[in-house]
Amino acid sequence: YRAMVETFENYQVEDLRLMNKNLSGYQIKDIPFHKEGQIILIRKGSQMEIPHGNTYLSHGNIITVMGTDSALDDFRKKFKRKD
């Protein structure tokens, strides 16, 4: 993904933990993410998975995302804990 980031100058990569239990059990395709962002890797414990639309999210997953500043802000807001 580093090569992709170098290609897209305004894009950055960040690892985020899914703390929003409301998203747990949803497929990626069912969540409206920012158009300038992409989930590129999901770590579930010791397993790594390259996600696709049918991939389910689980509370506590470490999700590697790529996108513009506004897209990363959107990911952060969606993934943070909802009390």
Side-chain angles (χ1 to χ4, degrees), residues 3 21 26 30 34 41-42 55-56 61 64-65 74 78:
K21 291 182 181 180
Y26 277 89
D30 295 329
H34 193 284
L41 185 70
I42 297 178
T55 300
Y56 286 91
N61 289 160
T64 304
V65 296
D74 181 62
K78 283 184 170 71

Side-chain angles (χ1 to χ4, degrees), residues 38-82:
Q38 181 72 38
I39 295 175
I40 56 177
L41 185 70
I42 297 178
R43 281 177 278 176
K44 301 176 180 192
S46 62
Q47 298 178 341
M48 290 188 196
E49 179 179 348
I50 296 174
H52 49 80
N54 294 326
T55 300
Y56 286 91
L57 297 177
S58 296
H59 181 261
N61 289 160
I62 303 294
I63 302 172
T64 304
V65 296
M66 179 181 83
T68 60
D69 288 339
S70 58
L72 293 178
D73 284 343
D74 181 62
F75 281 118
R76 288 184 205 109
K77 289 175 187 172
K78 283 184 170 71
F79 291 170
K80 76 178 184 179
R81 183 178 308 241
K82 305 283 183 184

